[in-house]
């Protein structure tokens, strides 16, 4: 539907020792934590508050997560998560996210589909989300 043509939101991270598995690389599930934190940071950077959105009766829920792992992060690695959003329906948004190191090497690309629903699970239009686009 509509795509964000502005520069993506970017947030920096560094890998902590406890996020790594026995192989010395970041456990695959940890990447979703990085991505979720980056989405919340993106939403906040646009003047919206995730907790307040929920209190208003709108629940932004992850419906689908598509992660394409390219390289493995290791303890101490520094990286950024870049995020931009497109609306795919009245009720759904796709957060496109990528993890990059300082040299521009891609570690992961993700497509996270989010829906806006009521507490009872019914679709609801989240008009304020237009500021994300």
């Amino acid at each position: 539907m509509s795509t964000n043509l502005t520069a993506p939101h970017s947030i920096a991270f560094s890998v902590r020792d406890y996020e790594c598995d026995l192989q010395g690389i970041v456990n695959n599930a940890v990447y979703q934590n990085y991505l979720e934190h980056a989405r919340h940071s993106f939403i906040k950077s646009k003047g919206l508050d995730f907790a307040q959105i929920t209190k208003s009766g709108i629940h932004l829920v992850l419906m689908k997560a598509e992660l394409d792992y390219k390289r493995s992060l290791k303890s101490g690695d520094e990286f950024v998560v870049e995020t931009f959003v497109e609306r795919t329906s009245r009720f759904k948004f796709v957060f496109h996210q990528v993890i990059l190191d300082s040299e521009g090497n891609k570690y992961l690309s993700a497509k996270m589909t989010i829906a806006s629903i009521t507490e009872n699970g019914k679709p609801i239009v989240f008009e304020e989300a237009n500021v994300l686009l």
Side-chain angles (χ1 to χ4, degrees):
M1 274 182 101
S2 77
T3 302
N4 183 340
L5 299 176
T6 61
H9 174 267
S10 183
I11 183 170
F13 291 87
S14 34
V15 175
R16 297 164 288 203
D17 292 340
Y18 64 84
E19 296 171 326
C20 298
D21 60 22
L22 290 174
Q23 299 172 56
I25 60 176
V26 171
N27 181 277
N28 68 83
V30 173
Y31 289 88
Q32 289 208 40
N33 292 328
Y34 299 148
L35 298 173
E36 182 173 23
H37 184 77
R39 288 192 304 275
H40 287 218
S41 175
F42 173 75
I43 289 168
K44 188 174 183 177
S45 78
K46 298 295 186 175
L48 299 174
D49 180 276
F50 193 81
Q52 192 57 42
I53 294 166
T54 303
K55 285 181 188 173
S56 75
I58 296 174
H59 296 257
L60 302 178
V61 296
L62 180 65
M63 295 187 65
K64 185 176 185 180
E66 299 175 55
L67 286 74
D68 188 11
Y69 298 92
K70 306 286 187 184
R71 293 184 161 95
S72 296
L73 289 166
K74 297 178 179 79
S75 182
D77 282 350
E78 295 185 1
F79 61 96
V80 297
V81 177
E82 293 184 348
T83 304
F84 75 90
V85 177
E86 75 175 313
R87 183 188 290 270
T88 57
S89 79
R90 292 178 52 215
F91 310 109
K92 291 182 187 175
F93 303 87
V94 172
F95 283 77
H96 297 275
Q97 297 181 278
V98 62
I99 293 179
L100 303 164
D101 67 15
S102 61
E103 296 174 9
N105 295 310
K106 188 183 292 186
Y107 284 74
L108 177 140
S109 59
K111 184 177 170 184
M112 311 298 271
T113 303
I114 309 293
S116 54
I117 62 172
T118 65
E119 186 175 300
N120 298 324
K122 304 276 187 208
I124 186 171
V125 176
F126 177 42
E127 293 293 344
E128 293 84 357
N130 289 332
V131 301
L132 303 175
L133 305 174

